[in-house]
Amino acid sequence: QVQLEESGGGLVQAGGSLRLSCAASGHTDSTYAMGWFRQAPGKERDFVAAITTTNTYYQHSVKGRFTISRDNAENTVHLEMTNLKPEDTAVYYCAASLHYSDFMRRTLDYWGPGTQVTVSS
């Protein structure tokens, strides 16, 4: 089992920045794909970004504004969010799975409880 816990959410003005972190514990494995989804009120949970041992992937709307990175020594993945927009407001969920393809199928092995990000206009 792997436990994921997000941190770093909060309230920020449009144009501002936030850094989300996700700490993994338990039977962690640095070969796991890790990443982020987000869910706004009344909407489906959408893919945001993911990172594997060799590649990074982004949703089109965040490309160039968000950067995903990982620290395998600390079993942590980060999401640096810049130039935030009100439409980025959502609960952000960390996820981990053996294969990146699980992110596309939304069949993730592990989820964190989520952290709220609110961007005011």
Side-chain angles (χ1 to χ4, degrees):
Q1 277 292 87
V2 174
Q3 292 79 43
L4 303 174
E5 184 170 0
E6 305 93 341
S7 62
L11 173 65
V12 64
Q13 287 188 332
S17 301
L18 277 176
R19 186 184 195 224
L20 303 184
S21 296
C22 172
S25 60
H27 292 154
T28 57
D29 187 333
S30 63
T31 64
Y32 267 57
M34 296 187 70
W36 298 87
F37 283 75
R38 67 186 181 187
Q39 187 166 20
K43 295 189 176 181
E44 291 188 351
R45 191 173 296 191
D46 289 333
F47 170 77
V48 176
I51 185 167
T52 66
T53 55
T54 56
N55 287 300
T56 56
Y57 304 88
Y58 297 94
Q59 183 201 100
H60 178 73
S61 68
V62 307
K63 216 168 187 179
R65 300 189 297 123
F66 291 10
T67 303
I68 190 169
S69 61
R70 69 192 296 167
D71 182 338
N72 289 330
E74 297 291 329
N75 293 320
T76 302
V77 64
H78 304 286
L79 186 68
E80 193 77 41
M81 306 185 293
T82 64
N83 191 20
L84 282 161
K85 304 176 181 181
E87 51 263 41
D88 294 318
T89 295
V91 177
Y92 282 69
Y93 297 91
C94 179
S97 206
L98 194 57
H99 305 291
Y100 166 68
S101 57
D102 294 338
F103 280 77
M104 296 299 97
R105 290 195 293 264
R106 302 185 185 189
T107 55
L108 286 303
D109 292 330
Y110 304 105
W111 291 94
T115 186
Q116 177 70 46
V117 171
T118 302
V119 184
S120 63
S121 56

